[in-house]
Each structure stands twice: as C-alpha cells, then as structure tokens.
C-alpha cells in the first residue's frame, strides 16, 4: 500500500483555547508567547504518543514483581525548532521531552519570492538512523521552509517515517507539497486554514508568528 501523509488536528479543548488566544490580533506578545508554549506542550503530548521509544522490563515493587515500561534511553530523541517562530513552541515541547537534544535551524522567507533561505544550521554531519525527530514549525504556509528543513534532515540520515512535525496553522498548499515529497511524514497541527493571501500569509492564520513572538 502506498504511503500517505498523515495530518492530525487533535480535538483537544486546550489546543482550541490557546489557538484562539494566538489568533486574536489584540493578544499582546507576552500572552502570545504563553499561548505558543501551551500549544507546544499539548501538540507535543499528542504527537509523541506512538513515537517515543519505550523498553519493556520488570521491576520489584515493595510487594512483588511487576512488568514495567520505560522510555528507552538508547534511542536518540531530538527536537528541531525552525527559527525564529519554532522557538515559540520549544519550551512546551521540552517540558515533555527534557532529555531530548535540540538542533536549531534558521530559515527566513524572501518577502517577494517567498523562497526560504537558511542562515543557521546546527545539525550534525550525520544523525543516528534511529533518531526520532520532533520538528517545531508553527506555520506551514507555502511549505517551502518545511521542505528545505526536511531535505537537510534526510540528507543526514533521518528517516521521514520517524519525524513528527508540530505546527499551529497549516495551509492546504503546504500539506499538498509535503504529501508529494515526503508521504511517510506525520503532522500534528492545531488547525488547517483556508489558504494563503497574495503575500503568502495564511488566512485567517495568526499573522507573522516570528514577529508576534518576539515583538518585532
Ligand atoms: O511555509 P512557508 O511559506 O515557507 O512559510 C513558513 C515560514 O515562514 C515564517 O518564517 P519567516 O520567514 O517569517 O521567519 P521568522 O520565523 O524568523 O519570522 C514561519 O515562521 C515559517 O518558518
Ligand atoms: O501566515 C504566515 C505565513 C508564514 N509565516 C508566518 O509567520 N505567518
Ligand atoms: Mg516571520
């Protein structure tokens, strides 16, 4: 059977609540950051359910033996925030994955062509092929940034099937491109919006996630 991109919009009241706060144009930066941290936490909680590697063992309770399941410390887990806006979800993700390595990558879109360019890449030359990667990219607009980040990951040995993307607002254009290029991917997003305006912004979206996070 051919692989097909999986996109989940978790029906969680806290995700809906913090999405509403983040979307509201009247929300100031300080509250926008809190909303993004909370979205990072709950989207990560949903995304790692069937992804975080575990190991089965047994332990002794004060009363006897019991089977036990622990997080497998031997399989590397990493978070990849796409700067700048991806940093806004990081604190929430790290609260649930305190031992994960964090590999930063920075992209900026050209405002006219909408082409992304990479200005920072802290990836190692190659990743252990078993590495689980949680990508933090709040805005999937044209999808150009996410496609470029995936190319950087896969050329260093990452299996797209082991990648989970957390996003706040996804546009159909980005999902279409990702489905064609990386059908094994899985995405968790707070919403799928209508589309893009002439400037490449998601509508209704939440505006410029990087600017709203950092007050620029
Ligand atoms: O899907 P795309 O069309 O590529 O757009 C999505 C990207 O655009 C924004 O980055 P921006 O260039 O505004 O940089 P910033 O995060 O530093 O604000 C956003 O944070 C995403 O990374
Ligand atoms: O709507 C959009 C599109 C790209 N990047 C953003 O921050 N917002
Ligand atoms: Mg921006």
């Amino acid at each position: 059977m051919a692989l097909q991109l999986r996109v989940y919009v978790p029906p969680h009241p806290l995700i809906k609540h913090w999405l509403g706060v983040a979307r509201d144009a009247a929300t100031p930066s300080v509250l926008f950051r809190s909303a993004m941290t909370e979205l990072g936490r709950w989207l990560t909680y949903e995304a790692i359910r069937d992804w975080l590697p575990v190991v089965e063992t047994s332990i002794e309770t004060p009363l006897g033996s019991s089977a036990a399941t622990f997080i497998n410390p031997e399989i590397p887990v990493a978070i990849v925030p796409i700067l700048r806006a991806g940093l806004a979800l990081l604190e929430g993700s790290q609260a649930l994955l305190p031992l994960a390595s964090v590999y930063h990558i920075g992209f900026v879109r050209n405002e006219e062509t909408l082409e992304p360019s990479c200005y920072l890449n802290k990836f190692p030359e190659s990743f252990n092929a078993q590495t689980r990667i949680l990508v933090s990219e709040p805005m999937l607009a044209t999808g150009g940034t996410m496609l470029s980040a995936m190319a950087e990951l896969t050329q260093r040995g990452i299996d797209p099937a082991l990648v989970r993307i957390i996003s706040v607002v996804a546009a159909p254009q980005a999902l279409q491109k990702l489905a064609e290029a990386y059908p094994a991917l899985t995405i968790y997003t707070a919403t799928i919006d209508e589309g893009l305006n002439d400037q490449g912004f998601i509508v209704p979206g939440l505006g410029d996630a990087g600017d709203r996070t950092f007050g620029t």
Side-chain angles (χ1 to χ4, degrees), residues 31-156:
L31 183 56
F32 185 84
R33 280 197 296 277
S34 296
M36 295 296 267
T37 296
E38 291 304 319
L39 287 163
R41 183 193 318 277
W42 298 113
L43 288 165
T44 300
Y45 173 81
E46 296 283 352
I48 68 180
R49 198 183 278 277
D50 302 318
W51 167 91
L52 203 52
V54 293
V55 60
E56 309 292 341
T57 183
S58 62
I59 42 114
E60 293 299 317
T61 78
L63 300 176
S65 301
S66 169
T69 304
F70 292 105
I71 307 301
N72 188 340
E74 286 172 11
I75 298 187
V77 173
I79 305 172
V80 169
I82 301 185
L83 277 49
R84 287 176 304 165
L87 289 175
L89 305 178
L90 182 62
E91 194 183 320
S93 300
Q94 278 187 304
L96 304 190
L97 299 171
L99 301 182
S101 306
V102 178
Y103 294 104
H104 298 80
I105 190 161
F107 284 97
V108 64
R109 287 196 316 179
N110 179 299
E111 285 178 11
E112 264 108 55
T113 66
L114 303 182
E115 285 301 314
S117 56
C118 185
Y119 58 85
L120 177 83
N121 185 338
K122 299 295 283 180
F123 291 177
E125 251 175 51
S126 68
F127 285 96
N128 175 317
Q130 290 196 71
T131 307
R132 270 57 170 174
I133 297 277
L134 182 83
V135 180
S136 165
E137 169 52 287
M139 308 305 286
L140 294 169
T142 66
T145 302
M146 193 61 234
L147 277 181
S148 300
M150 280 305 299
E152 297 292 334
L153 286 168
T154 53
Q155 74 195 33
R156 289 170 175 77

